[in-house]
Amino acid sequence: MVVMLAITMSLAGSMIVANRQIQLHTLQSQLLLEQSTYAVQVGSLTVKSAPSQIATRAGALHLVDPISVTQVPSTSLDAPLPLPKFLGTATATSRTIR
């Protein structure tokens, strides 16, 4: 009777360990699949973000290097800016009067 109980316990333990190994193998397979999917996505995004691709896309959108750059003078943020000067008949109204 004791021998039968020991054999039964040994079989049950072996079955539990085998089931755990199958679960681990399944999880490892899923992990490898997700990692390969991620690697493919990173590769495709790397190709899309290459400088040559960005330059080609910018050219298609008519974004080119500027011919000249105008430096805008700095001003204090504490001082109010003067009203803009218009050409023509537009009247300037202060924002505080509106």
Side-chain angles (χ1 to χ4, degrees):
M1 185 66 128
V2 172
V3 172
M4 289 298 284
L5 182 61
I7 291 174
T8 304
M9 294 293 283
S10 176
L11 271 172
S14 294
M15 288 174 56
I16 290 172
V17 169
N19 188 22
R20 196 58 88 122
Q21 290 294 325
I22 291 171
Q23 289 175 348
L24 283 175
H25 178 70
T26 303
L27 288 174
Q28 284 178 336
S29 298
Q30 288 175 350
L31 177 63
L32 286 174
L33 180 64
E34 293 298 325
Q35 285 176 336
S36 66
T37 303
Y38 175 75
V40 167
Q41 290 174 347
V42 166
S44 68
L45 289 176
T46 302
V47 169
K48 288 180 181 178
S49 65
S52 62
Q53 294 293 325
I54 293 173
T56 302
R57 182 73 177 135
L61 294 173
H62 305 292
L63 299 174
V64 295
D65 291 329
I67 297 170
S68 66
V69 176
T70 304
Q71 181 69 34
V72 178
S74 64
T75 184
S76 171
L77 295 177
D78 296 330
L81 294 175
L83 291 174
K85 298 194 181 355
F86 294 101
L87 299 175
T89 59
T91 57
T93 306
S94 173
R95 285 177 262 155
T96 57
I97 296 174
R98 291 184 198 169

